[in-house]
Amino acid sequence: MRQKLKITEAIFPMPVLMIATYNEDGSVNVMNAAWGTMQERDTVALNLTESHKTVRNIKARGAFTVSIADAPHLVEADYFGVVSGDNTPDKFARSGLTASKAETVDAPVINEFPLCLECRFIEYQSNEYGCGVIGKVVNVTADESVMENGKINMSLVNAIAFDPYTHGYYKVTERVGNAFKDGLSLKK
């Protein structure tokens, strides 16, 4: 028998995304956002309100990066979600992480997170069903520690996912099948 659950803000699993921008003074700002996805192959949609410092930075700089949070940096990733850059201007410095300038956009790459999408800001949607920040992915980089034979190995990324029902984080590390292939066994 199925049980009714409280309606919550999402489905499980949700990616734990680190959205990085530069502040007005050039310092690094990072926020944790679970409400984001790929709209198309090269378009990112982030459900963020305009009240976030990160959104103001994205609009001002016209760019941002999206990194996939990993299990070894869970504490720092969570910190970026519980502390506001408006109230703690040195929030990134306090994390102990490091950043480099992105190759193609005016935004930082957080060195410790192994996978990063560099995005150019396209628009902000604010209608009733708008999803907030829309960005065009113009470059993707991965740390060589998560690469095998020239391809990314997602098991090595050690990504974490957010569970909105219990507010837990879970590791996403084991490949269990082959998309667009395994289901063909039922096609007769």
Side-chain angles (χ1 to χ4, degrees), residues 132-147:
V133 173
I134 306 295
K136 179 84 154 175
V137 179
V138 295
N139 193 32
V140 180
T141 61
D143 189 85
E144 59 189 33
S145 67
V146 298
M147 301 293 291

Side-chain angles (χ1 to χ4, degrees), residues 6-44:
K6 179 181 169 191
I7 295 174
T8 187
E9 59 271 350
I11 350 178
F12 175 79
M14 295 178 71
V16 180
L17 305 174
M18 299 293 103
I19 314 304
T21 61
Y22 286 122
N23 293 314
E24 312 81 39
D25 65 359
S27 63
V28 175
N29 177 68
V30 183
M31 78 171 289
N32 177 327
W35 298 273
T37 190
M38 296 299 293
Q39 253 184 329
E40 294 185 29
R41 184 171 296 277
D42 64 352
T43 307
V44 171

Side-chain angles (χ1 to χ4, degrees), residues 9 13 16 31 38 68 85 88 90 111 134 137 165-167 177:
E9 59 271 350
V16 180
M31 78 171 289
M38 296 299 293
I68 308 299
T88 310
D90 63 343
N111 297 321
I134 306 295
V137 179
Y165 295 99
T166 67
H167 293 169

Side-chain angles (χ1 to χ4, degrees), residues 91-112:
K91 147 173 140 166
F92 182 71
R94 288 183 183 199
S95 76
L97 300 182
T98 61
S100 303
K101 184 172 181 347
E103 291 177 23
T104 60
V105 298
D106 186 19
V109 172
I110 310 310
N111 297 321
E112 289 77 9

